[in-house]
Amino acid sequence: MTEEKIIGWKSLSINDLPKPLHQLSGDEIQRRKCISKVMTFVLKYFTKEFVNRGFEWLLPVIFSASTDPLWPDPGASIEKRIEVEIYGKKVRATLSMIVHKIMACSLIHPKLFTLSPNVRIERRDRALTGVHAYEFTQLDFEARNASSSDIRSLVEDLFVGLMKELKKFMRDELVYLDRYSCLQIPNPPFKVLNRVELEEKYGGEWDKQLPLEISEPVWVVNIPREFYDFEDFENNYWDNYDLLLPGYGEVLSGAKREWEYSKIIIKMERDHVRKENYSTLLKLAKEKRIKPSAGAGIGLERLVSWIVGAKHIGETQLFPRVPGIVYEL
Ligand code: AMP
Ligand code: MG
């Protein structure tokens, strides 16, 4: 990969920020058309694959009292949380559908996925990282009784299939975007690296350094974060995983989940997460109605950014959601 192809967590300049649709030149419109075609293809591929593999397709929710606390997560940097009152109750815009996924997977559908809206008002200094939007979509999925390695194998399989099909059916678009020859079909199983060793090698910025040195996707495991990721209290090992793509960085986070009431309570208290926002989840966990599961969320705009070689993630959104910039549309 050449220097210009190295994207992700790059410090961009103001001129690299995506413009609103009506200000694009003819060439820029042409490029956006190609990017949209790739997005359509990726959506078609994943939805078809998940449905064919027996996953139920849930429609998204936008406002709930209970949403992802996004805390503590070393990668999170939310400037503001959207809370509004409806019918006399305080609700929050979806930060991720993790709570809904765990509940639905436990109570009704052993395998499910959704195209989940995520409203995360990222700090405005993240405008120039190129990988943060303040609204984006996760392809979020969960499977009852699955292990982390089951989910990693599923993702590897989907990823290889996606790259093969893209090269076959999106050839013209990828050639136009100058990405056809850069994109290689990866070879599973992907390497699994432990975050502790990466910190020893690269320090705290491992998530930005490592992607510049890899030529295949890699998994990073054992990352301390929110209460719902499974933590082994005996050895402090977090049974979770991120997928990092070469030259780009994180596109997926996932985990085996906590299901036991006593552990969830300990973690919420330790992290100062407001238990009152999770009373239904806690009640069900206490009644042993929350089942073990594992899953993940793929950031669709990030994945497509990497595929098309976008400078800024907002190029994959016809109506860009750039932190700190609010366009009329
Ligand atoms: P998380 O569970 O918070 O890591 O989010 C899951 C995935 O969503 C990440 O791996 C990214 O691909 C994507 N993502 C997270 N935050 C953003 C953001 N601000 N803009 C775009 N995509 C994001
Ligand atoms: Mg993450």
Side-chain angles (χ1 to χ4, degrees):
M1 256 182 203
T2 58
E3 176 58 25
E4 320 65 273
K5 297 271 161 28
I6 294 175
I7 43 186
W9 285 91
K10 192 169 169 179
S11 204
L12 299 175
S13 84
I14 299 284
N15 296 332
D16 297 321
L17 293 178
K19 290 184 272 187
L21 189 54
H22 64 282
Q23 286 175 11
L24 298 179
S25 68
D27 281 353
E28 287 167 333
I29 289 274
Q30 211 43 45
R31 188 177 147 78
R32 292 298 179 87
K33 276 190 180 173
C34 279
I35 296 177
S36 290
K37 284 206 163 168
V38 172
M39 177 64 88
T40 301
F41 190 87
V42 168
L43 290 168
K44 181 174 128 189
Y45 173 82
F46 278 125
T47 51
K48 173 195 75 185
E49 285 295 326
F50 276 104
V51 170
N52 287 348
R53 289 166 196 248
F55 284 71
E56 293 307 329
W57 187 348
L58 265 61
L59 291 175
V61 294
I62 297 177
F63 289 114
S64 321
S66 197
T67 189
D68 195 330
L70 281 191
W71 176 264
D73 177 348
S77 97
I78 299 297
E79 188 171 299
K80 176 178 182 166
R81 286 160 194 270
I82 306 297
E83 296 184 342
V84 288
E85 206 183 281
I86 51 173
Y87 310 118
K89 285 216 165 183
K90 192 195 275 181
V91 289
R92 299 167 178 86
T94 298
L95 285 158
S96 93
M97 277 179 59
I98 182 69
V99 183
H100 300 78
K101 273 200 319 180
I102 292 177
M103 301 265 285
C105 188
S106 295
L107 299 180
I108 171 160
H109 299 308
K111 300 206 281 185
L112 60 91
F113 76 100
T114 181
L115 296 168
S116 160
N118 284 232
V119 181
R120 300 189 186 174
I121 311 304
E122 298 279 0
R123 274 198 335 247
R124 56 198 80 195
D125 61 8
R126 288 194 158 187
L128 300 177
T129 65
V131 299
H132 292 97
Y134 68 82
E135 276 180 41
F136 62 94
T137 305
Q138 274 194 54
L139 194 151
D140 220 351
F141 62 97
E142 198 72 20
R144 199 186 293 168
N145 293 325
S147 67
S148 288
S149 62
D150 292 336
I151 300 294
R152 290 199 293 262
S153 303
L154 168 66
V155 170
E156 289 171 1
D157 205 34
L158 290 171
F159 227 77
V160 170
L162 174 66
M163 298 316 289
K164 280 188 183 159
E165 292 204 12
L166 276 169
K167 293 204 82 161
K168 193 165 164 195
F169 298 109
M170 288 282 108
R171 190 191 164 100
D172 292 350
E173 288 75 12
L174 294 174
V175 167
Y176 181 90
L177 296 162
D178 199 17
R179 293 294 289 165
Y180 186 80
S181 49
C182 319
L183 293 175
Q184 304 298 332
I185 298 174
N187 297 297
F190 304 161
K191 264 195 198 149
V192 179
L193 306 175
N194 192 316
R195 182 260 324 162
V196 175
E197 282 149 33
L198 293 173
E199 278 178 354
E200 277 161 18
K201 186 163 175 199
Y202 301 103
E205 299 279 279
W206 59 266
D207 55 332
K208 291 156 202 93
Q209 288 302 316
L210 179 65
L212 307 178
E213 294 181 15
I214 52 176
S215 52
E216 288 270 314
V218 296
W219 294 105
V220 178
V221 296
N222 188 21
I223 308 165
R225 51 191 180 207
E226 293 91 346
F227 72 83
Y228 47 77
D229 281 12
F230 189 92
E231 182 183 358
D232 186 336
F233 285 170
E234 302 277 294
N235 57 14
N236 291 328
Y237 180 83
W238 288 75
D239 193 358
N240 59 16
Y241 35 88
D242 274 6
L243 182 66
L244 271 60
L245 297 182
Y248 192 78
E250 180 202 327
V251 288
L252 169 153
S253 285
K256 178 176 157 181
R257 311 299 177 190
E258 297 288 3
W259 71 94
E260 286 176 311
Y261 176 77
S262 57
K263 283 187 78 188
I264 298 177
I265 283 284
I266 289 173
K267 294 173 84 179
M268 283 184 171
E269 286 176 356
R270 180 184 72 188
D271 301 340
H272 305 291
V273 167
R274 285 191 201 159
K275 284 182 277 185
E276 64 272 24
N277 293 348
Y278 302 95
S279 43
T280 310
L281 180 73
L282 287 169
K283 177 179 176 293
L284 293 177
K286 201 171 195 175
E287 294 166 2
K288 299 195 189 310
R289 293 175 68 198
I290 297 298
K291 305 290 179 215
S293 68
I298 303 172
L300 287 167
E301 294 86 347
R302 278 201 195 166
L303 176 59
V304 172
S305 283
W306 175 73
I307 294 169
V308 303
K311 261 198 180 140
H312 195 284
I313 190 167
E315 285 171 56
T316 68
Q317 301 176 303
L318 274 197
F319 303 101
R321 275 26 197 163
V322 180
I325 302 180
V326 179
Y327 295 131
E328 190 174 342
L329 293 181

